[in-house]
Amino acid sequence: MITTDICIIGAGPVGLFAVFEAGLLKMRCHLIDALPVVGGQLAEIYPQKPIYDIPGAPGIIAEDLVKNLMLQIEEFKPGFTLGERVEALEKQEDESYIVRTNEGTAVHCKVVVIAAGLGSFEPRKPAVEKLEYFEGKGVHYMVKKPEQFRNQNVVLAGGGDSALDWTIFLADIASRVTLVHRGDTFRGAPDSAEKVFELAEKGKIDLILQSQVSSLGGNGVLKEISITGNDKNVTTIPTDHFIPLFGLSPKLGPIADWNLGVEKSAVIVDTLDYSTNVPRIYAIGDINTYPGKLKLILCGFHEAATMMQSAFKYVYPDQKLSFKYTTVNGVNAF
């Protein structure tokens, strides 16, 4: 059992900044995220995308913002459970909660903060024959442990940043890497696309364009993949693993069963402190809704700061939250 003051569901930018605001108030945090890395959409969907509405950081690259947020909260030593999805929320006799994941991890906390962005992410699955049959038998929708692909034949499909980045990374680990893309240009970062073309030219990977994986085969475990070109020609190649990377589809997930006020797949909150209709449960960031809501990272940061002031009373019920201001070199600080 992991014990903490605040359990934050979602390790995206708003969830990470919430750790900082909690840390200023001497409250400990543990974060849970279904993705294998911190950063939420910034890390998984568009790591190279510039973000223009972060104060003092014009045009900051998404993955750099995540790195900065991690650096900012380092001194508060938060705990992380990554690659696991929250499945259950159990209220205790003392009004605290136990949060449980699909992998059996349990977190005991005094406050729950839902900072899950647009909800839990589920992979977008391509229309490939026998795809679901081979899930867990050679089909993977995200790379959690790259070492499992060492000296293996791997086929990836997709045209975005994830497909490009993992193709480049696995080229030095797998026995053979094949990237299949239905077009002849990529949606991902130009620099990554250039590297993939260079690897193909040097014979370090196989790049199959204007084609799609159409079916999978094998006796109990994945052994081969059939690829259909835009010209309708079909090619079958041996493989140990297939990794389709077509992005993630956001869903509210188990949160929808927690008796929270929900409107159009978003959690209704009170703008006084971003609390939900259930005591000790807050929702911040894109997961919440209220009149005038703007789905901006900047707004989520504000919500995190405000709600932590409210959560303080549950963590330290015998203390009154107050600030003493002093002047350091002519600058007000607390």
Side-chain angles (χ1 to χ4, degrees), residues 148-164:
Q148 77 178 109
F149 303 109
R150 185 168 293 280
N151 301 323
Q152 302 279 296
N153 290 326
V154 180
V155 175
L156 300 97
D161 284 307
S162 291
L164 294 172

PDB file of all heavy atoms in Angstrom, residues 148-164:
ATOM      1  N   GLN A 148      12.513  -5.700 -24.538  1.00  0.00           N
ATOM      2  CA  GLN A 148      11.850  -6.934 -24.945  1.00  0.00           C
ATOM      3  C   GLN A 148      11.931  -7.145 -26.455  1.00  0.00           C
ATOM      4  O   GLN A 148      11.658  -8.248 -26.949  1.00  0.00           O
ATOM      5  CB  GLN A 148      10.399  -6.941 -24.494  1.00  0.00           C
ATOM      6  CG  GLN A 148       9.446  -6.089 -25.319  1.00  0.00           C
ATOM      7  CD  GLN A 148       8.012  -6.175 -24.860  1.00  0.00           C
ATOM      8  OE1 GLN A 148       7.478  -5.238 -24.301  1.00  0.00           O
ATOM      9  NE2 GLN A 148       7.380  -7.314 -25.088  1.00  0.00           N
ATOM     10  N   PHE A 149      12.326  -6.116 -27.188  1.00  0.00           N
ATOM     11  CA  PHE A 149      12.419  -6.214 -28.639  1.00  0.00           C
ATOM     12  C   PHE A 149      13.855  -6.463 -29.116  1.00  0.00           C
ATOM     13  O   PHE A 149      14.104  -6.501 -30.322  1.00  0.00           O
ATOM     14  CB  PHE A 149      11.874  -4.936 -29.287  1.00  0.00           C
ATOM     15  CG  PHE A 149      10.462  -4.622 -28.891  1.00  0.00           C
ATOM     16  CD1 PHE A 149      10.174  -3.552 -28.061  1.00  0.00           C
ATOM     17  CD2 PHE A 149       9.418  -5.421 -29.326  1.00  0.00           C
ATOM     18  CE1 PHE A 149       8.876  -3.264 -27.681  1.00  0.00           C
ATOM     19  CE2 PHE A 149       8.109  -5.149 -28.955  1.00  0.00           C
ATOM     20  CZ  PHE A 149       7.837  -4.079 -28.129  1.00  0.00           C
ATOM     21  N   ARG A 150      14.776  -6.620 -28.162  1.00  0.00           N
ATOM     22  CA  ARG A 150      16.171  -6.844 -28.541  1.00  0.00           C
ATOM     23  C   ARG A 150      16.312  -8.142 -29.340  1.00  0.00           C
ATOM     24  O   ARG A 150      15.785  -9.195 -28.962  1.00  0.00           O
ATOM     25  CB  ARG A 150      17.068  -6.881 -27.308  1.00  0.00           C
ATOM     26  CG  ARG A 150      18.557  -6.986 -27.662  1.00  0.00           C
ATOM     27  CD  ARG A 150      19.435  -6.727 -26.480  1.00  0.00           C
ATOM     28  NE  ARG A 150      19.353  -5.337 -26.024  1.00  0.00           N
ATOM     29  CZ  ARG A 150      20.007  -4.323 -26.591  1.00  0.00           C
ATOM     30  NH1 ARG A 150      20.778  -4.552 -27.662  1.00  0.00           N
ATOM     31  NH2 ARG A 150      19.885  -3.111 -26.115  1.00  0.00           N
ATOM     32  N   ASN A 151      17.002  -8.026 -30.482  1.00  0.00           N
ATOM     33  CA  ASN A 151      17.269  -9.161 -31.381  1.00  0.00           C
ATOM     34  C   ASN A 151      15.997  -9.811 -31.914  1.00  0.00           C
ATOM     35  O   ASN A 151      15.984 -11.008 -32.230  1.00  0.00           O
ATOM     36  CB  ASN A 151      18.145 -10.209 -30.677  1.00  0.00           C
ATOM     37  CG  ASN A 151      19.469  -9.629 -30.220  1.00  0.00           C
ATOM     38  OD1 ASN A 151      20.068  -8.796 -30.901  1.00  0.00           O
ATOM     39  ND2 ASN A 151      19.952 -10.067 -29.066  1.00  0.00           N
ATOM     40  N   GLN A 152      14.922  -9.014 -32.004  1.00  0.00           N
ATOM     41  CA  GLN A 152      13.653  -9.496 -32.535  1.00  0.00           C
ATOM     42  C   GLN A 152      13.326  -8.774 -33.845  1.00  0.00           C
ATOM     43  O   GLN A 152      13.842  -7.691 -34.117  1.00  0.00           O
ATOM     44  CB  GLN A 152      12.528  -9.231 -31.524  1.00  0.00           C
ATOM     45  CG  GLN A 152      12.729  -9.868 -30.166  1.00  0.00           C
ATOM     46  CD  GLN A 152      12.333 -11.328 -30.150  1.00  0.00           C
ATOM     47  OE1 GLN A 152      11.178 -11.671 -30.344  1.00  0.00           O
ATOM     48  NE2 GLN A 152      13.310 -12.199 -29.925  1.00  0.00           N
ATOM     49  N   ASN A 153      12.455  -9.393 -34.648  1.00  0.00           N
ATOM     50  CA  ASN A 153      11.938  -8.722 -35.836  1.00  0.00           C
ATOM     51  C   ASN A 153      10.704  -7.922 -35.443  1.00  0.00           C
ATOM     52  O   ASN A 153       9.757  -8.480 -34.864  1.00  0.00           O
ATOM     53  CB  ASN A 153      11.560  -9.745 -36.913  1.00  0.00           C
ATOM     54  CG  ASN A 153      12.777 -10.417 -37.516  1.00  0.00           C
ATOM     55  OD1 ASN A 153      13.827  -9.796 -37.660  1.00  0.00           O
ATOM     56  ND2 ASN A 153      12.655 -11.693 -37.861  1.00  0.00           N
ATOM     57  N   VAL A 154      10.725  -6.634 -35.746  1.00  0.00           N
ATOM     58  CA  VAL A 154       9.655  -5.740 -35.317  1.00  0.00           C
ATOM     59  C   VAL A 154       9.100  -4.984 -36.516  1.00  0.00           C
ATOM     60  O   VAL A 154       9.857  -4.432 -37.321  1.00  0.00           O
ATOM     61  CB  VAL A 154      10.162  -4.731 -34.262  1.00  0.00           C
ATOM     62  CG1 VAL A 154       9.033  -3.804 -33.825  1.00  0.00           C
ATOM     63  CG2 VAL A 154      10.762  -5.455 -33.063  1.00  0.00           C
ATOM     64  N   VAL A 155       7.769  -4.938 -36.609  1.00  0.00           N
ATOM     65  CA  VAL A 155       7.099  -4.135 -37.628  1.00  0.00           C
ATOM     66  C   VAL A 155       6.288  -3.052 -36.925  1.00  0.00           C
ATOM     67  O   VAL A 155       5.501  -3.343 -36.020  1.00  0.00           O
ATOM     68  CB  VAL A 155       6.161  -4.983 -38.504  1.00  0.00           C
ATOM     69  CG1 VAL A 155       5.383  -4.094 -39.489  1.00  0.00           C
ATOM     70  CG2 VAL A 155       6.960  -6.036 -39.271  1.00  0.00           C
ATOM     71  N   LEU A 156       6.500  -1.807 -37.324  1.00  0.00           N
ATOM     72  CA  LEU A 156       5.715  -0.693 -36.810  1.00  0.00           C
ATOM     73  C   LEU A 156       4.865  -0.134 -37.937  1.00  0.00           C
ATOM     74  O   LEU A 156       5.241  -0.215 -39.116  1.00  0.00           O
ATOM     75  CB  LEU A 156       6.611   0.414 -36.259  1.00  0.00           C
ATOM     76  CG  LEU A 156       7.560   0.057 -35.111  1.00  0.00           C
ATOM     77  CD1 LEU A 156       8.950  -0.247 -35.655  1.00  0.00           C
ATOM     78  CD2 LEU A 156       7.647   1.182 -34.097  1.00  0.00           C
ATOM     79  N   ALA A 157       3.726   0.468 -37.572  1.00  0.00           N
ATOM     80  CA  ALA A 157       2.864   1.101 -38.567  1.00  0.00           C
ATOM     81  C   ALA A 157       2.429   2.458 -38.045  1.00  0.00           C
ATOM     82  O   ALA A 157       2.104   2.610 -36.866  1.00  0.00           O
ATOM     83  CB  ALA A 157       1.647   0.226 -38.857  1.00  0.00           C
ATOM     84  N   GLY A 158       2.439   3.448 -38.918  1.00  0.00           N
ATOM     85  CA  GLY A 158       2.035   4.792 -38.535  1.00  0.00           C
ATOM     86  C   GLY A 158       2.895   5.835 -39.206  1.00  0.00           C
ATOM     87  O   GLY A 158       3.950   5.521 -39.777  1.00  0.00           O
ATOM     88  N   GLY A 159       2.439   7.095 -39.118  1.00  0.00           N
ATOM     89  CA  GLY A 159       3.177   8.171 -39.775  1.00  0.00           C
ATOM     90  C   GLY A 159       3.415   9.381 -38.906  1.00  0.00           C
ATOM     91  O   GLY A 159       3.842  10.421 -39.398  1.00  0.00           O
ATOM     92  N   GLY A 160       3.150   9.245 -37.593  1.00  0.00           N
ATOM     93  CA  GLY A 160       3.327  10.374 -36.684  1.00  0.00           C
ATOM     94  C   GLY A 160       4.634  10.302 -35.919  1.00  0.00           C
ATOM     95  O   GLY A 160       5.509   9.481 -36.208  1.00  0.00           O
ATOM     96  N   ASP A 161       4.753  11.166 -34.911  1.00  0.00           N
ATOM     97  CA  ASP A 161       5.981  11.252 -34.136  1.00  0.00           C
ATOM     98  C   ASP A 161       6.310   9.945 -33.431  1.00  0.00           C
ATOM     99  O   ASP A 161       7.479   9.543 -33.386  1.00  0.00           O
ATOM    100  CB  ASP A 161       5.880  12.384 -33.105  1.00  0.00           C
ATOM    101  CG  ASP A 161       6.044  13.759 -33.737  1.00  0.00           C
ATOM    102  OD1 ASP A 161       7.046  13.952 -34.444  1.00  0.00           O
ATOM    103  OD2 ASP A 161       5.173  14.625 -33.525  1.00  0.00           O
ATOM    104  N   SER A 162       5.310   9.290 -32.852  1.00  0.00           N
ATOM    105  CA  SER A 162       5.578   8.053 -32.114  1.00  0.00           C
ATOM    106  C   SER A 162       6.159   6.983 -33.028  1.00  0.00           C
ATOM    107  O   SER A 162       7.135   6.305 -32.672  1.00  0.00           O
ATOM    108  CB  SER A 162       4.293   7.540 -31.453  1.00  0.00           C
ATOM    109  OG  SER A 162       3.890   8.389 -30.412  1.00  0.00           O
ATOM    110  N   ALA A 163       5.572   6.805 -34.206  1.00  0.00           N
ATOM    111  CA  ALA A 163       6.065   5.800 -35.144  1.00  0.00           C
ATOM    112  C   ALA A 163       7.498   6.107 -35.582  1.00  0.00           C
ATOM    113  O   ALA A 163       8.356   5.219 -35.640  1.00  0.00           O
ATOM    114  CB  ALA A 163       5.141   5.719 -36.360  1.00  0.00           C
ATOM    115  N   LEU A 164       7.761   7.373 -35.862  1.00  0.00           N
ATOM    116  CA  LEU A 164       9.101   7.764 -36.284  1.00  0.00           C
ATOM    117  C   LEU A 164      10.120   7.596 -35.159  1.00  0.00           C
ATOM    118  O   LEU A 164      11.198   7.024 -35.352  1.00  0.00           O
ATOM    119  CB  LEU A 164       9.096   9.214 -36.768  1.00  0.00           C
ATOM    120  CG  LEU A 164       8.302   9.510 -38.039  1.00  0.00           C
ATOM    121  CD1 LEU A 164       8.219  11.013 -38.274  1.00  0.00           C
ATOM    122  CD2 LEU A 164       8.933   8.825 -39.245  1.00  0.00           C
TER     123      LEU A 164
END
